[in-house]
Amino acid sequence: MMWLVGLMMVLMGLVFLWAFSAVLISILVGLLASALLWLPLRWWRRRQLQHALELNPALDLQQEAQKHPALFYLLSTLVVLLGCVIMLTTLVHLPQRMFSPEQLSLGAGIALVISLAALIKLAGNLLSLGKDAQAAADIKAGWSLAAGIVPMLVVIVLIFFAPHTAGWMVWREEWRGYDSTQLRIPLKRNDAEHQRAALQLVRPVLEQGSRILSHRASSRSGSSYTLSAALPARYRFHEGALELQLAGLMPQEQLNVHLQALVSVVEGAEAGSLQLAYAQCLPSPEWLGRQCFFGRGQQAMSSLRGCVQTRQSELAAVLPLLQGNLQEVQIGWRHFRPWLSLPRWQAALLPEDEDALQQLDTLR
């Protein structure tokens, strides 16, 4: 009978390891990194005690070891925080097939709890410095209790404000980076008015160059639903040019349509706002095919006509500022991480409603 219980425990352990392999691997890497960082810190502390013993051979090492300086407390907390950062970095760089978005949010929650507990305990240790032994022990005990309770309460509160699973997928993509189409449009005049006009021209490129990430989840009742979040295209004005960084590699056919519209403005062609608006609103064949397949072809064409009318009125106001101001459009690609570039990239404005996001013809 005991062997059967042992076999069941092993099987449950294997299932747990398979289901949470990414989180467990990242935790082990974080623990290993913290242990390696802790070794030089302990060596430095040991050297301090040996130096104090050389100055005073009658020194009680046990009491001296309890008199940790503030620097030691700070460095100890830094080791814990660096371990959490390494844990999260490992988690987001593991192959996506190894884990689900739920594991990503679980790993972030574990790192948050450990980091908050370390910071709260650090505050208690620093406040206990300079106090007598009993008062210092009481302060440390109170703050240690808070370090165990407060992080859990904070996590419960953050559950209502943290991103859902699709939002965590966007956060993962932004952290680890992604291959991206890059456009650069030099401007002859770079004042605020001409910048607004240039942004108005490339707004469809930013919308269609964004990427919608979706995750299908299930409720407690067993019904399924889809959560969506946008990985936006980004732009910035840098060194006299408007730079666009799309949220992926735009298909060449779709990119050519936008390039033809931009080149017509660069060359100062007598292209009317109607032709330009139609070129920018034209959906990709894949998106249009999906709409027709699901019986929404008439709705898609009606949406196209509305887009053309809106874009025509918008472009008519800015074309006089654009013609003669834009120079040759430069195209490239790069592995893009939005948080590592200066000056900062601005995210394209996209609908916040998930249903409206699904209607956008974006990179997929």
Side-chain angles (χ1 to χ4, degrees), residues 63-341:
Q63 291 184 356
E64 183 67 21
Q66 295 177 356
K67 299 177 181 179
H68 298 299
L71 181 59
F72 182 73
Y73 286 137
L74 292 171
L75 292 177
S76 301
T77 304
L78 182 60
V79 167
V80 176
L81 297 180
L82 286 175
C84 292
V85 171
I86 294 172
M87 168 195 162
L88 284 178
T89 304
T90 303
L91 181 61
V92 300
H93 283 87
L94 288 174
Q96 192 169 359
R97 64 180 180 275
M98 291 188 62
F99 65 93
S100 63
E102 289 85 355
Q103 290 196 58
L104 186 58
S105 59
L106 175 62
I110 292 173
L112 176 64
V113 168
I114 296 175
S115 300
L116 283 178
L119 291 173
I120 293 173
K121 195 167 184 179
L122 171 65
N125 289 332
L126 293 178
L127 290 175
S128 67
L129 295 177
K131 303 292 192 300
D132 59 80
Q134 183 60 41
D138 292 341
I139 292 174
K140 289 181 179 180
W143 282 85
S144 296
L145 180 62
I149 297 176
V150 173
M152 302 303 298
L153 297 178
V154 171
V155 168
I156 293 175
V157 173
L158 287 180
I159 287 175
F160 300 98
F161 301 98
H164 51 59
T165 49
W168 283 112
M169 293 166 64
V170 170
W171 176 79
R172 176 181 181 269
E173 288 296 307
E174 291 179 336
W175 193 337
R176 69 180 295 169
Y178 47 87
D179 292 335
S180 169
T181 299
Q182 184 179 33
L183 301 177
R184 188 174 187 274
I185 309 173
L187 306 176
K188 292 181 180 179
R189 292 180 295 277
N190 197 24
D191 55 80
E193 185 180 16
H194 288 86
Q195 286 183 359
R196 286 193 296 268
L199 282 178
Q200 186 64 256
L201 175 66
V202 301
R203 185 169 58 83
V205 186
L206 293 172
E207 290 180 352
Q208 297 180 30
S210 300
R211 181 151 49 110
I212 306 302
L213 300 178
S214 301
H215 178 248
R216 195 169 185 83
S218 300
S219 63
R220 294 181 179 178
S221 61
S223 60
S224 60
Y225 57 93
T226 301
L227 297 171
S228 300
L231 179 62
R234 297 176 184 272
Y235 68 91
R236 68 179 180 181
F237 291 94
H238 181 51
E239 296 180 349
L242 171 59
E243 298 179 350
L244 309 181
Q245 201 71 55
L246 307 188
L249 297 175
M250 179 175 280
Q252 192 62 42
E253 297 79 5
Q254 190 177 5
L255 182 61
N256 287 338
V257 174
H258 292 290
L259 290 178
Q260 290 172 5
L262 294 175
V263 169
S264 68
V265 178
V266 170
E267 295 177 349
E270 294 297 331
S273 58
L274 177 59
Q275 291 83 353
L276 187 56
Y278 180 78
Q280 292 189 334
C281 289
L282 185 65
S284 61
E286 292 80 7
W287 184 86
L288 190 57
R290 285 194 298 269
Q291 299 303 307
C292 294
F293 178 80
F294 289 110
R296 297 195 291 263
Q298 186 175 1
Q299 180 182 355
M301 296 307 297
S302 176
S303 176
L304 173 60
R305 288 192 294 268
C307 175
V308 170
Q309 293 176 358
T310 303
R311 285 298 294 163
Q312 183 181 8
S313 62
E314 292 172 347
L315 289 171
V318 299
L319 276 179
L321 293 171
L322 294 170
Q323 291 180 345
N325 187 43
L326 306 186
Q327 302 181 47
E328 181 181 2
V329 182
Q330 303 166 6
I331 310 169
W333 73 275
R334 60 180 287 196
H335 190 76
F336 179 61
R337 290 183 175 88
W339 312 119
L340 297 181
S341 300

Side-chain angles (χ1 to χ4, degrees), residues 27-67:
I27 289 175
L28 289 176
V29 172
L31 289 174
L32 178 61
S34 297
L36 293 177
L37 292 171
W38 184 256
L39 291 177
L41 184 59
R42 290 194 61 183
W43 175 84
W44 169 74
R45 183 57 180 162
R46 190 179 300 112
R47 287 292 302 272
Q48 274 194 329
L49 294 177
Q50 291 176 352
H51 181 67
L53 186 61
E54 291 175 357
L55 296 177
N56 184 8
L59 187 66
D60 188 344
L61 285 180
Q62 185 174 3
Q63 291 184 356
E64 183 67 21
Q66 295 177 356
K67 299 177 181 179

